[in-house]
Amino acid sequence: GDFNFKPDSTQYAMAAGDLEPMPYLIKPMKSAYRQCFGAEPVFTNNAWTEKMTSGFVATLDYIWLGDGVAATECLRLPDKVEGPLPNER
């Protein structure tokens, strides 16, 4: 799903099972990147528009895994911002 929440948010903690179980959240999910690297990527979103004074750079996108599914390998994403995405690199 396209949840659009940051890794330090309450919503992320609920989805990842880092909080007390909630009645409406049957089973927590696991993040593939957190499973592979121990943390989420530095950023998955690098947006810029002409009206912005600076870009929006943050992690908003995740690959969530349910029970019985494990990430065995993940591609590493860039650690630094090199202009808006997508770009020609």
Side-chain angles (χ1 to χ4, degrees):
D2 191 13
F3 297 102
N4 286 334
F5 43 67
K6 296 181 181 180
D8 60 353
S9 70
T10 302
Q11 295 89 345
Y12 178 96
M14 286 174 52
D18 295 339
L19 294 177
E20 289 291 317
M22 303 290 179
Y24 51 85
L25 185 64
I26 297 169
K27 294 188 184 242
M29 299 177 284
K30 298 173 286 189
S31 162
Y33 273 82
R34 188 171 167 189
Q35 195 172 55
C36 285
F37 303 119
E40 296 298 346
V42 173
F43 69 96
T44 61
N45 187 296
N46 180 3
W48 181 270
T49 67
E50 292 177 13
K51 295 180 182 181
M52 296 171 73
T53 57
S54 64
F56 174 82
V57 179
T59 299
L60 293 179
D61 304 296
Y62 309 91
I63 300 170
W64 291 106
L65 309 172
D67 284 346
V69 179
T72 58
E73 185 177 2
C74 297
L75 296 176
R76 196 167 287 279
L77 294 176
D79 287 334
K80 65 180 187 173
V81 176
E82 295 183 16
L85 299 174
N87 60 33
E88 293 182 16
R89 292 183 191 203

